[in-house]
Each structure stands twice: as C-alpha cells, then as structure tokens.
Amino acid sequence: MAELNLVEAINRALEWELAHDPAVVVLGEDVGVNGGVFRATVGLQERFGAERVLDTPLAETAIVGTAIGMAAQGLKPVAEIQFSGFIYPAMDHIWNHAGRLRNRTRGRLSCPLVVRSPCGAGIHAPEHHSESPEALFAHLPGVRVVIPSSPSRAYGLLLAAIRDPDPVIFLEPTRLYRLFKQEVADDGEALPLDVCFTLRAGTDVTLVSWGAMLNETQAAAEALAQEGVMAEVIDVATLKPLDMTTILESVSRTGRCVIVHEATRAGGFGAEIAANLAEHGLYSLLAPVQRVTAWDVVVPLSRLEHQYMPSVERIVAAVRKTLEGA
C-alpha cells in the first residue's frame, strides 16, 4: 500500500500495464521526456523506452487517429490529450472510427483504445482547460466514458479501461489530481467498469454525482447529517454504459434524488439520469428530481470559477427542496 494522490495513481496504473502487457503503449504531447503536463507519465519513458512511451507533435487529430490504427492492429494504446478543450479536433476519429470499428468489421477488428484527458474547472486555468465534456462522449455508441473520483478509483478504473477490448474515454478531474492522498494497493487489481459505487448509505435522499463533484457532494451529505437528513451518495464512475440499477434501487428506498455535476445544465448527463428515473422509477419518487449543475455559460476566469461550479450550499438547498412538505 502507498499513499498516493490521483495523478500518482494514474502513473502507477500506467506503469503496471506497461510492465505486464507488451501490447500497451502510451502516446501524447510531452508524455515522454517531460512526463506530461501534469506529470502523470513521469518516469515512464526512462523505464520503458521511447518506442513505448511516445512524444507526439501538437496534433490531437493525429494522436487519436494513430492510436486507433495501433488498436486495430493489436496494440493497446493509451493516448493523452493535454486538456479536454483540445480534444474536439479528434472527435471525428472517436465518433466515426473508434466507436464503430467493431460493428463496421462485424467483429473482425476491435479498438482497445484509451483516450485520457484532464477535465473540469477549479485550478484557475483558462476556459479551454476547464471544460467538462462528458455528455458529448456519452452520446457516442460504442464508446465507454469513465470519470474517477479518488486515487484508488483512478488506479483500478484505468487498469480496467486499458484491459477493455473497446474504446474508453477516461476523463480525469484536474482539481482532484493533488487535492488529497489515499491508500492505494499497487497490485494490478482492476475495479469493475459499468457499475456505480455507493460511497455512503442513507435513507432520506439519494445524491448522485461523479468526478470532482463527489468532493462537494460528500461534504453536503455530512452537513445534512448534522440536520438529521441521511443522504445516500452514489459515484456513477462509468457514465456510459450507465448502471441505472444501482440508482433506481437507491431511489426506491429514499424516494428522492439530487443529481450533481460540474458540466453545464442544458444537455448535461444529469438529464439522462433524470429521464431514466422518470421512465423507470416514477412511482418511487416522493418529489421531483433536482439537478445542481454549473451555469449555462462559458467557464469564467479564475475569480468567478467557484461561483460557476456547484457548491455545498447549493446541493444542500436542493435537498431541502426535495424534502419540502415531507
């Protein structure tokens, strides 16, 4: 066991897979000599060589396109995009090729590709370094979308993503990279994809979130507990495919649900969860589902970014609204 922050856990997971699977390669801008802009790949090129940890040009389209070709021919590439705001030029390859390769070839080829990218606000970066684009990728058939919320979750989920035979978009909340440390067993043990994790049991309301927002969501649950409100906290972890079973079972016990995410409200992934609750869990609900999200504006500069993101106070207020008339 080692005390690791999230970026160190990412590094350990990459190191484990490079050491134990010769098909794994890492590529991206500055991932080799410099060890990545956040140092997630530091030391890997020195240990495994420039043929397996490749520095690329500043060309996101080329990075992902090359990685798809590698994956189609038996390698397991892990491509890094420096910031989520830079990923959009590669959307053509992800949408039209990575997610469709298995279907297009009727199973003859698969695409065991991981695209890693930092995401989210809270580190005083410009707006194109601070976006939360998970809903865009969740809309794509054939692509998994994973967002870890802690060092141990990042380690286990990244191992599982690299071992998965299909493409995975792995979004890493920059605000969590060095926010806290956690005991992580560097033993190569993967966590399951496609399942939610229940972080806290409760009976009065279900709080659903993912990524960095679990920090505020759990703080809100603690604040509510001081008022006698027991909140169940669910970490979605894998947004696509979505484990609605866990969420529905929780809401069947609590009768109320508040969804929290850092992405903007309109078209956000919280709406997908709310729609599923309306379709499949309506008779369990004692109050309308509430969403606590970022505002529908461009991520502001650093002075205002914490007003842009959901706060503990806004989450608590949404829970109180679901309890009105109870």
Side-chain angles (χ1 to χ4, degrees):
M1 299 287 282
E3 283 273 332
L4 303 177
N5 60 34
L6 194 143
V7 77
E8 291 168 337
I10 294 291
N11 181 271
R12 293 290 183 91
L14 291 170
E15 184 178 27
W16 180 278
E17 287 302 288
L18 284 162
H20 291 84
D21 188 342
V24 173
V25 294
V26 172
L27 68 157
E29 299 162 9
D30 297 323
V31 299
V33 174
N34 290 337
V37 67
F38 289 103
R39 302 302 181 259
T41 55
V42 68
L44 298 183
Q45 190 178 79
E46 289 90 335
R47 178 174 177 185
F48 299 102
E51 291 185 354
R52 296 190 64 202
V53 183
L54 296 80
D55 280 318
T56 68
L58 303 179
E60 286 76 16
T61 305
I63 293 168
V64 174
T66 300
I68 292 170
M70 289 176 167
Q73 298 304 311
L75 295 177
K76 297 179 181 178
V78 182
E80 178 181 302
I81 304 297
Q82 279 194 347
F83 291 97
S84 59
F86 301 159
I87 204 169
Y88 305 120
M91 285 289 287
D92 175 32
H93 284 310
I94 296 169
W95 193 310
N96 285 317
H97 302 293
R100 301 183 185 191
L101 194 59
R102 180 183 291 278
N103 180 72
R104 180 180 297 145
T105 63
R106 299 300 184 262
R108 186 174 64 86
L109 298 177
S110 61
C111 191
L113 160 71
V114 176
V115 178
R116 296 179 41 248
S117 181
C119 70
I123 62 166
H124 307 307
E127 79 279 357
H128 53 285
H129 292 179
S130 304
E131 296 171 309
S132 298
E134 63 267 21
L136 294 177
F137 297 103
H139 189 64
L140 308 184
V143 175
R144 275 186 170 80
V145 181
V146 178
I147 307 181
S149 62
S150 68
S152 61
R153 203 92 70 233
Y155 179 85
L157 290 173
L158 183 54
L159 291 176
I162 296 171
R163 296 168 189 174
D164 194 84
D166 293 301
V168 178
I169 305 298
F170 197 89
L171 298 174
E172 302 162 6
T174 51
R175 188 157 56 95
L176 297 186
Y177 269 157
R178 292 175 173 84
L179 185 64
F180 64 93
K181 291 193 173 187
Q182 190 178 59
E183 288 281 341
V184 178
D186 186 9
D187 57 4
E189 188 72 27
L191 288 172
L193 299 173
D194 309 346
V195 298
C196 295
F197 299 92
T198 301
L199 306 185
R200 182 186 183 115
T203 55
D204 298 317
V205 63
T206 299
L207 303 181
V208 178
S209 190
W210 52 89
M213 275 295 112
L214 261 304
N215 191 53
E216 283 75 17
T217 301
Q218 294 202 81
E222 187 62 36
L224 288 163
Q226 303 305 311
E227 303 176 9
V229 177
M230 299 295 107
E232 186 148 297
V233 177
I234 292 178
D235 178 3
V236 175
T238 302
L239 279 70
K240 174 76 175 290
L242 175 63
D243 171 20
M244 271 306 298
T245 300
T246 297
I247 297 171
L248 286 165
E249 287 177 352
S250 175
V251 173
S252 73
R253 296 190 299 271
T254 66
R256 297 171 175 84
C257 184
V258 175
I259 303 163
V260 184
H261 62 71
E262 189 179 314
T264 50
R265 184 179 181 87
F269 195 74
E272 176 68 17
I273 297 173
N276 270 281
L277 285 168
E279 290 175 17
H280 306 294
L282 183 62
Y283 294 115
S284 297
L285 290 169
L286 301 174
V289 174
Q290 297 293 316
R291 288 180 291 158
V292 183
T293 72
W295 310 112
D296 283 332
V297 297
V298 175
V299 181
L301 294 176
S302 58
R303 185 178 296 179
L304 293 175
E305 69 178 346
H306 286 289
Q307 295 187 39
Y308 165 85
M309 297 185 296
S311 63
V312 172
E313 291 76 19
R314 286 177 60 199
I315 298 168
V316 169
V319 169
R320 288 174 179 154
K321 189 171 183 179
T322 70
L323 294 168
E324 289 175 357

